[in-house]
Amino acid sequence: MESNAIIAAREVKERVLPQLNKERAIKLYWKQKYFFFMLIPVIAYYLIFHYAPLYGIVIAFQNYYPLKGVAGSEWVGLDHFKELFTGLYFLPVLKNTIIISTYKLIFGFPAPIILCLILNEVRLVFFKKAVQTITYLPHFISWVILGGIVIEFLSPTRGLINAIIMEFGHKPILFVTSETYFRSILVLSSIWKEVGWSTIIYLAAITSVDPELYDAADMDGAGRLRKIWNITMPSIMPVVTIMFIFAVGGIINDDFDQIYNLLNASVLSVGDVISTYTYQIGLVKGDYSFATTVGLFKNIIAFILILLTNYVAKKTNDYSLW
């Protein structure tokens, strides 16, 4: 049996140590108080612009009229959701959204990883920085400008591509108004705009790789491809997994700025997506309740996709968001 002294010491330890640790934690936090003050603008931003507007979700269950307000509008329950799934327009729009976003995921997600691996192998610093600058630049240009550039570049009368086609004796192709080419234009222009910016994340991850691993591989006679496959890729795999989870969650969230600036009446059947459909319903026609219903449905699906992808990633390679 334990002596009374041991029991008393244990009781003191259980009562006193947590209090001491708490006091130390408070002192430590107080010393770093200015860093916490710097978080106030960020917290305020998310509270004001991301959490406070969540109250507006209730109008998805109402026939909302601005003059009556949220409190005075009539409650209709799930009527808008029934209309959403039985209407003639939403399912084709959902199909377009999934197809376009899936193409962007398949072809757009690996693009910055490939570019990152290529740039990491470049030893000429000036050339490497020049390529990085050129590929980063489109990210900082709005789709209003880039959309105009794409349209001019593919113009049947002034565009470079059609000029080359006509040089070989063929007729010009109406790329932007063709259902055959429109989705490909969306995917390629999206990659062009974001591939350089996304590469920054993977290049930053590569900087954390221990150089001694490459030295050991050199001693074993490994070539560049072998080092990329066995050292670089496994080292950045946690970052790749996290970015992939975000990308899958964004399948249902299309790029409104891009599609709105490139969309035209000739390609509505293959290019009209949820965000442009919501814009037409909510802002142009003024049906705020139905537009909110569409947005709520989209966010729920995105949340489910993130949870599912995170679960699969955790089970397969032990890397996940949580």
Side-chain angles (χ1 to χ4, degrees):
M1 296 180 61
E2 294 180 336
S3 64
N4 292 333
I6 295 175
I7 295 175
R10 182 180 298 162
E11 291 178 353
V12 170
K13 181 178 179 181
E14 291 176 353
R15 285 186 287 106
V16 175
L17 282 182
Q19 183 64 28
L20 291 175
N21 291 334
K22 183 178 179 181
E23 292 177 357
R24 290 174 183 173
I26 293 174
K27 290 180 180 179
L28 180 61
Y29 286 133
W30 182 251
K31 288 181 180 179
Q32 308 295 331
K33 58 182 178 296
Y34 296 109
F35 292 102
F36 288 100
F37 290 154
M38 293 173 65
L39 288 174
I40 292 177
V42 178
I43 295 173
Y45 166 79
Y46 279 98
L47 288 176
I48 295 172
F49 296 104
H50 290 267
Y51 287 97
L54 289 176
Y55 173 70
I57 290 176
V58 298
I59 70 176
F61 307 94
Q62 297 177 322
N63 279 330
Y64 175 73
Y65 293 97
L67 295 179
K68 293 183 178 181
V70 176
S73 297
E74 178 188 2
W75 285 87
V76 295
L78 299 176
D79 288 355
H80 293 304
F81 288 91
K82 295 177 182 177
E83 181 184 354
L84 181 69
F85 295 109
T86 57
L88 297 175
Y89 301 105
F90 179 72
L91 291 182
V93 165
L94 177 62
K95 176 184 175 182
N96 290 337
T97 303
I98 294 174
I99 291 175
I100 293 172
S101 297
T102 302
Y103 285 164
K104 289 183 177 181
L105 179 65
I106 294 173
F107 298 103
F109 182 77
I113 301 175
I114 296 171
L115 179 60
C116 166
L117 296 175
I118 293 173
L119 289 176
N120 187 58
E121 296 300 318
V122 175
R123 297 294 175 257
L124 189 59
V125 178
F126 173 78
F127 178 76
K128 182 177 181 178
K129 290 184 177 180
V131 172
Q132 287 178 304
T133 303
I134 293 171
T135 55
Y136 295 165
L137 184 60
H139 172 79
F140 300 98
I141 304 176
S142 71
W143 271 115
V144 176
I145 298 174
L146 285 182
I149 293 175
V150 171
I151 292 172
E152 285 297 311
F153 191 73
L154 300 175
S155 171
T157 57
R158 303 179 300 274
L160 176 62
I161 299 298
N162 275 305
I164 296 174
I165 292 174
M166 287 187 289
E167 281 294 325
F168 286 93
H170 299 285
K171 293 182 179 180
I173 300 174
L174 303 176
F175 287 103
V176 180
T177 58
S178 171
E179 295 182 357
T180 304
Y181 297 105
F182 186 73
R183 287 173 177 169
S184 300
I185 293 171
L186 292 178
V187 174
L188 292 175
S189 59
S190 176
I191 294 173
W192 170 49
K193 187 176 190 297
E194 299 297 339
V195 65
W197 182 253
S198 301
T199 302
I200 296 176
I201 300 172
Y202 301 111
L203 286 173
I206 288 178
T207 58
S208 64
V209 180
D210 189 354
E212 293 183 359
L213 295 175
Y214 294 108
D215 295 337
D218 289 332
M219 294 179 63
D220 290 338
R224 286 194 174 188
L225 292 178
R226 181 60 63 183
K227 286 188 287 186
I228 290 173
W229 185 256
N230 290 334
I231 299 176
T232 307
M233 283 301 299
S235 299
I236 67 173
M237 191 53 64
V239 177
V240 172
T241 302
I242 292 173
M243 297 303 295
F244 181 74
I245 293 172
F246 286 140
V248 173
I251 282 181
I252 202 71
N253 293 317
D254 48 79
D255 192 339
F256 172 78
D257 291 339
Q258 178 200 23
I259 298 176
Y260 181 75
N261 283 284
L262 293 175
L263 192 64
N264 56 78
S266 300
V267 292
L268 279 176
S269 61
V270 296
D272 195 16
V273 293
I274 291 179
S275 60
T276 53
Y277 175 70
T278 306
Y279 169 78
Q280 290 292 328
I281 295 295
L283 295 181
V284 177
K285 296 183 179 180
D287 191 347
Y288 302 110
S289 293
F290 189 75
T292 304
T293 302
V294 177
L296 180 58
F297 167 78
K298 182 174 69 173
N299 291 332
I300 291 173
I301 297 300
F303 181 67
I304 293 173
L305 287 174
I306 288 179
L307 291 178
L308 181 61
T309 310
N310 186 79
Y311 174 79
V312 173
K314 190 173 184 179
K315 290 296 182 181
T316 54
N317 60 10
D318 294 329
Y319 301 129
S320 61
L321 288 174
W322 59 82

